[in-house]
Amino acid sequence: MRVVIAEDNALLREGLVALLREKGIDVVAQAEDGAGLVRIVGGHKPDLAIVDVRLPPSFTDEGVRAAIEARRRQPGLGILILSQYVEPVYTQELLAAGDGGIGYLLKERVGEVRAFLDAVERVAAGGTALDREVVAELMGARRERAGDAALDALTPREREVLGLMAEGRTNAAIARSLVITSGAVEKHISNIFGKLDLPATDDDHRRVLAVLAFLQAG
Amino acid sequence: MAAEHLDIRNDESPAPAGDSSALGIYLALTALAGFVTTVIWAATSAGYYWPRWVWFAFGVPLAFWAAVRRAREVPRRSERRLAIHGAVAGVLSLMQIVVWWFGDPGTFWPIWPIQVFVTTVAVHALIVYRDRLPFRRARVLTERVDELTRTRRGALDVQAAELRRIERDLHDGAQARLVALSMQLGRAEERLESQPEIAELVRRARLEAGNAIAELRDLARGIAPPVLADRGLAAAVDALGRRSPMPVVVEVYLDRRLTPVVETAAYFVVAEALTNVAKHAGGAPARVMVRQAGNRLAIDVSDDGPGGANPAGSGLTGLRHRVEALDGSLAVASTAEGTSVHAELPCES
């Protein structure tokens, strides 16, 4: 797996590079700003770009805009955004930005090394990795919507599984996280899709999109 | 020796010590002259008391000195000048009267020079106290209000910019360091698989770092949500609408980015109003309209809920203070047909 990193804070960039290299991931180039990201993606054709939201020169959402531009030039590029805050607007823009894996994680999740590497691999392979805070915010908004009986029809366990699906986790990862068997996870998932009236699919990515579409609907 | 040096240096202070000692010598000499001439006068004719002119020469500088010394104590510069002017004019007038009295007490001629002195002092006083004249007073007050409005606005702008700077510093400083810390703790945890007890300690340390990061994040969000600073009011209000639990129709008409202080105030008006709708309107849909017309920004948030909003509640009162600090206004109308919050903010560019 070939990865590029765009992060202006040297401390974090070096930490991230060290962590990824330690785990045998090939960090082929690094950038400190949005223009640099677009350039190194063009030069190295990586599988994944790990990008800080705030980059120079604007220090606003430069990272999101540069990542979307980089993907426009290299369709299929996985984008894993690291941010110090949850901003659902950016998640929605990224999810709408063409084909390829999308991740949006809070920066401190990098410390959960295994889950982070899991997310890196998933996004590089075209999957989704949304921070649990993002999912919680989407779920909370959806749950509070008046007259929304659909979520209330789920059992607490099924809601947990729904949340993990929305984060982009695979069945195996969900099973590990909840300490249940894969069979139990599959059964929960089929119940959830039945109750929410979502189209069943084996494709993980489509499944995430269906769940997210449901959470954002209404 | 050292003490002497110190004394010399103290003598160099700006107090006009030399003047008064010169005056002292002069007064001593003229007093002596007055005494001697009085003795001579007594010993000779003892008729017309001519040494009075010597005493006159003694009195005039003394009178000047005393009058000016008091006048110089007035603190305000322009008033001090007037006081000195008045003192000099007063002593000169007195001089004229004394000269008239010493000489031929016929026509009271000193009236003419005294009138000139009084006129100049009066004109001077008018100039110094012109701001207290009734027709000037209104204008001065208007200017003062304008100035205060401008400086208060400036202070608020500075404060808003400063808060955003603090937020940025937190992001680039403490938060980044804590993130780096939790990364390193995570790496350490990975290498401690064979020593689960130590790994558990490291994991707890990492979770603590995570809690600290979350607290800093909440603090930063309270200052100004990132999307507001990044994308401006329209995007931030739109995000608020999307995040609300009830359906919200958002319309924003802006032709430019507003100043941080206006953006933040407008954002919090919409946020607080939508929070109230979510809490009290029973899921009724809400409408948000933010419209800039000239130098006014109008914000309307309304719902079709059952009403009953308390305009004196703490949330709305806080909003009102925020809006009024910018010379804006906030009105809340709550009836059985629904509740509406209307705020107006000046937003000159």
Side-chain angles (χ1 to χ4, degrees), chain B residues 200-285:
Chain B
E200 175 59 20
L201 283 179
V202 174
R203 192 183 70 87
R204 278 196 219 156
R206 180 170 60 72
L207 292 180
E208 274 308 311
N211 290 340
I213 293 167
E215 282 183 18
L216 282 179
R217 184 158 46 231
D218 288 345
L219 187 68
R221 191 177 279 284
I223 292 172
V227 69
L228 181 63
D230 294 356
R231 298 274 179 99
L233 186 58
V237 168
D238 209 45
L240 275 178
R242 277 197 247 175
R243 253 188 233 180
S244 291
M246 65 281 168
V248 180
V249 178
V250 175
E251 287 176 78
V252 180
Y253 305 99
L254 294 173
D255 57 18
R256 58 167 191 260
R257 271 301 286 267
L258 306 168
T259 56
V261 67
V262 174
E263 271 188 349
T264 308
Y267 175 86
F268 280 110
V269 167
V270 176
E272 176 70 24
L274 284 179
T275 303
N276 283 344
V277 175
K279 266 194 233 162
H280 304 299

Side-chain angles (χ1 to χ4, degrees), chain A residues 30-203:
Chain A
Q30 302 162 39
E32 291 178 19
D33 57 25
L37 171 68
V38 174
R39 199 166 53 240
I40 58 175
V41 166
H44 294 271
K45 303 284 172 220
D47 303 303
L48 175 71
I50 300 178
V51 184
D52 181 9
V53 169
R54 273 186 177 181
L55 286 178
S58 68
F59 287 105
T60 59
D61 55 351
E62 192 91 7
V64 175
R65 284 186 277 125
I68 289 173
E69 172 61 20
R71 173 181 276 186
R72 198 182 60 74
R73 296 188 186 187
Q74 186 194 322
L77 169 73
I79 300 173
L80 176 54
I81 296 284
L82 294 180
S83 174
Q84 284 184 13
Y85 48 83
V86 165
E87 187 43 79
V89 175
Y90 300 157
T91 320
Q92 283 160 12
E93 285 178 10
L94 288 163
L95 286 169
D99 270 346
I102 283 296
Y104 189 106
L105 295 179
L106 288 175
K107 280 189 177 172
E108 63 258 39
R109 305 293 183 229
V110 178
E112 298 164 29
V113 175
R114 251 174 245 170
F116 175 66
L117 291 174
D118 200 44
V120 165
E121 274 161 24
R122 222 154 64 221
V123 175
T128 308
L130 291 188
D131 198 278
R132 53 180 173 268
E133 298 270 331
V134 176
V135 173
E137 195 144 338
L138 291 172
M139 280 254 237
R142 167 85 203 194
R143 248 186 89 69
E144 283 179 37
R145 263 177 247 268
D148 183 14
L151 271 179
D152 292 334
L154 301 181
T155 64
R157 189 55 128 187
E158 285 165 354
R159 280 200 289 273
E160 270 182 278
V161 174
L162 180 72
L164 291 167
M165 275 199 288
E167 286 177 30
R169 309 255 190 139
T170 59
N171 288 10
I174 295 173
R176 210 167 44 235
S177 166
L178 298 179
V179 201
I180 55 177
T181 64
S182 298
V185 172
E186 278 166 32
K187 190 157 171 294
H188 284 308
I189 292 175
S190 92
N191 284 345
I192 292 165
F193 274 63
K195 286 181 183 174
L196 300 185
D197 201 18
L198 296 176
T201 171
D202 287 338
D203 182 331

Side-chain angles (χ1 to χ4, degrees), chain B:
Chain B
M1 291 299 277
E4 275 181 27
H5 276 291
L6 210 70
D7 284 347
I8 288 163
R9 220 170 295 161
N10 281 346
D11 281 345
E12 285 168 7
S13 65
D19 294 5
S20 55
S21 64
L23 180 73
I25 293 167
Y26 172 81
L27 290 177
L29 288 176
T30 39
L32 185 66
F35 184 71
V36 170
T37 47
T38 304
V39 170
I40 293 170
W41 164 77
T44 54
S45 61
Y48 168 68
Y49 183 62
W50 50 268
R52 65 173 71 165
W53 294 105
V54 180
W55 290 116
F56 181 70
F58 171 84
V60 167
L62 185 64
F64 268 119
W65 176 76
V68 172
R69 200 174 77 134
R70 294 204 55 182
R72 284 174 69 163
E73 282 166 10
V74 174
R76 246 183 76 202
R77 199 182 143 100
S78 59
E79 285 186 344
R80 185 163 63 238
R81 283 185 180 160
L82 175 64
I84 292 170
H85 183 178
V88 169
V91 173
L92 285 174
S93 305
L94 206 67
M95 250 175 76
Q96 312 275 339
I97 294 169
V98 170
V99 169
W100 165 77
W101 180 55
F102 278 3
D104 169 29
T107 325
F108 187 63
W109 52 266
I111 188 74
W112 306 112
I114 287 171
Q115 261 184 18
V116 173
F117 295 142
V118 167
T119 310
T120 59
V121 171
V123 169
H124 192 163
L126 267 180
I127 292 168
V128 170
Y129 295 113
R130 63 193 181 281
D131 289 348
R132 299 201 186 162
L133 296 174
F135 66 93
R136 284 276 307 186
R137 204 169 159 72
R139 208 168 98 202
V140 167
L141 280 178
T142 312
E143 279 167 9
R144 184 85 184 121
V145 167
D146 285 351
E147 187 194 335
L148 286 175
T149 309
R150 203 171 52 245
T151 52
R152 182 178 61 166
R153 190 55 184 269
L156 287 168
D157 277 339
V158 166
Q159 188 202 25
E162 193 67 356
L163 281 173
R164 287 196 183 179
R165 189 189 61 72
I166 291 172
E167 190 260 336
R168 189 137 296 177
D169 284 355
L170 277 179
H171 178 276
D172 295 337
Q175 267 182 306
R177 278 178 195 283
L178 284 169
V179 168
L181 173 69
S182 77
M183 270 187 206
Q184 278 166 1
L185 288 172
R187 283 167 68 196
E189 204 180 322
E190 283 291 293
R191 294 184 189 185
L192 285 169
E193 270 188 333
S194 57
Q195 289 158 286
E197 281 176 24
I198 302 177
E200 175 59 20
L201 283 179
V202 174
R203 192 183 70 87
R204 278 196 219 156
R206 180 170 60 72
L207 292 180
E208 274 308 311
N211 290 340
I213 293 167
E215 282 183 18
L216 282 179
R217 184 158 46 231
D218 288 345
L219 187 68
R221 191 177 279 284
I223 292 172
V227 69
L228 181 63
D230 294 356
R231 298 274 179 99
L233 186 58
V237 168
D238 209 45
L240 275 178
R242 277 197 247 175
R243 253 188 233 180
S244 291
M246 65 281 168
V248 180
V249 178
V250 175
E251 287 176 78
V252 180
Y253 305 99
L254 294 173
D255 57 18
R256 58 167 191 260
R257 271 301 286 267
L258 306 168
T259 56
V261 67
V262 174
E263 271 188 349
T264 308
Y267 175 86
F268 280 110
V269 167
V270 176
E272 176 70 24
L274 284 179
T275 303
N276 283 344
V277 175
K279 266 194 233 162
H280 304 299
R287 288 171 303 282
V288 177
M289 166 96 87
V290 177
R291 194 177 44 225
Q292 178 208 336
N295 288 337
R296 302 294 289 178
L297 181 72
I299 302 151
D300 286 281
V301 180
S302 53
D303 66 64
D304 304 327
N310 175 15
S314 66
L316 288 171
T317 305
L319 273 192
R320 182 167 288 121
H321 288 160
R322 204 185 255 271
V323 167
E324 284 173 354
L326 296 171
D327 285 321
S329 60
L330 182 88
V332 180
S334 200
T335 67
E337 277 83 54
T339 301
S340 72
V341 174
H342 174 82
E344 282 201 20
L345 290 167
C347 60
E348 70 275 14
S349 44

